[in-house]
Amino acid sequence: MRKITMLGSGFIAGFYTMSIHGLRSRDRIISVYARSQEKGEKFAREWGIPKVYTDMAAAINDPETDTIVVGLPNHLHKEAILLAAKAGKAVLCTKPLGMNAKDAKEILEAVEKAGVFHGYMEDLVYTPKTQKALQYIRAGALGTPMWARSRETHPGPHSDWFWDSSLSGGGAIIDLACHCIEITRNYIGKDIRPVEVVCWADTLMKPIEAEDNAVGMIRYENGAMAQFEVSWTFRGGLDLRDEVSGTEGSMRLDNFLRTGFEIFSATGSEGYVSEKAESDKGWLFPVGDEVHELGYNNMFTDMFNAIENGTPCQETFYDGYIVNAIMDACYKSVQTKRWEPVELEIWRGRTNVPKMSTLKDYDEYHWFVKEEVMPDGFIKIILKEKATGKIVQRLKS
């Protein structure tokens, strides 16, 4: 049984609590920290939590709790985690781990020095569809992943601090691309080093200092590429989509917005539909079990089981550090408008990984390029001569 202190009483803390209290039964949040006494008491009443704190250190040092869940604004992550490490308690932190790679590295080193369990709560890696997709990839169904794309777009975040870059560390990149980067790292292989990035970002609509739209590309040491698309100005709800292309196959995932559950209502539902839904009238796309579909149940199961088994979980603070380093390079690329290296002071994956080769022999003299059945029934085969490099074709009936 985990006895938990929840740091935060906002939107994400509600999702976390809903998942924890409904999942393994034996895990309970017994204290909550909120920056407002009123909000803390309301949250505690709603979820049956006996203790409310407005002092973060006191909440973390509650003698009855053994696990800290950080569901706070980005600028408070480091303070909370360092206190948890000092208290010797297991600590789970929402994304992103830090405001930048420097902070994330300090956080990682602190928890490892203290010897405490740490889990990076990248919930979108834990969605049922993503977990199933990773099973296929690891079984070789796609061959070697060469390219991955992840998209997260919606009309913008739900709290004021997100929109203030001094509190959040940035805009749509640090809020949304952190998800996309870690999703595509899992698809390509987390042991493959990210080498460099190129990124465009701009403020297209919102009256803020940070970016509200961005597109980025990440090149990996083995030649694989990852792409992310993020937006705070997309109208119509929360759009989560992934694609992966490998040497032997491809896959596409639609995690949200098109859920397989569709309603048309002229009168409206008069309430919450799903995260980031803009309307309760017209065509609606509810989610049957939102905490499960967004990965929270799988995430907490993995992390709590890992604590009890003394093993690492799928996503640790090391992963959060890598993501922060990639985002730092993205922000630099936005300014320089060129490819920028990903600077990693800590790397624990493979080194000197050769660029993947996808050459296939057709026969002794040719490389295979493509085979296709044409409308007239002939099979067209495209080949490359090994000796000359010339592209040729053959027809088979």
Side-chain angles (χ1 to χ4, degrees), residues 29-49:
I29 296 167
I30 62 173
S31 63
V32 59
Y33 160 76
R35 289 169 290 166
S36 156
Q37 183 73 30
E38 182 182 3
K39 281 197 67 177
E41 289 176 355
K42 181 177 183 297
F43 191 89
R45 285 195 302 273
E46 182 178 0
W47 298 107
I49 299 170

Side-chain angles (χ1 to χ4, degrees), residues 262-265 279 281-285:
E262 302 181 7
I263 301 172
F264 179 83
S265 174
S279 173
K281 294 181 181 179
W283 278 110
L284 309 176
F285 307 98

Side-chain angles (χ1 to χ4, degrees), residues 15 93 120 131 138 216 221 235 265 292 300 331 388 393:
F15 265 141
C93 183
Y120 178 53
Q131 290 290 301
R138 289 163 185 163
E221 190 176 24
R235 303 306 302 271
S265 174
H292 183 59
F300 283 115
Y331 278 115
T388 67
Q393 68 182 39

Side-chain angles (χ1 to χ4, degrees), residues 249-280:
S250 60
M251 66 170 56
R252 178 185 176 278
L253 290 74
D254 197 334
N255 279 303
F256 222 75
L257 194 61
R258 293 296 182 269
T259 61
F261 185 179
E262 302 181 7
I263 301 172
F264 179 83
S265 174
T267 59
S269 63
E270 297 184 359
Y272 180 85
V273 177
S274 62
E275 184 178 352
K276 304 299 190 300
E278 290 201 85
S279 173
D280 65 352

Side-chain angles (χ1 to χ4, degrees), residues 108-133:
L108 175 62
E109 291 175 336
V111 294
E112 291 187 337
K113 182 178 180 180
V116 298
F117 179 93
H118 47 96
Y120 178 53
M121 294 197 290
E122 178 40 79
D123 57 285
L124 295 185
V125 166
Y126 287 97
T127 72
K129 291 177 183 175
T130 305
Q131 290 290 301
K132 190 69 173 179

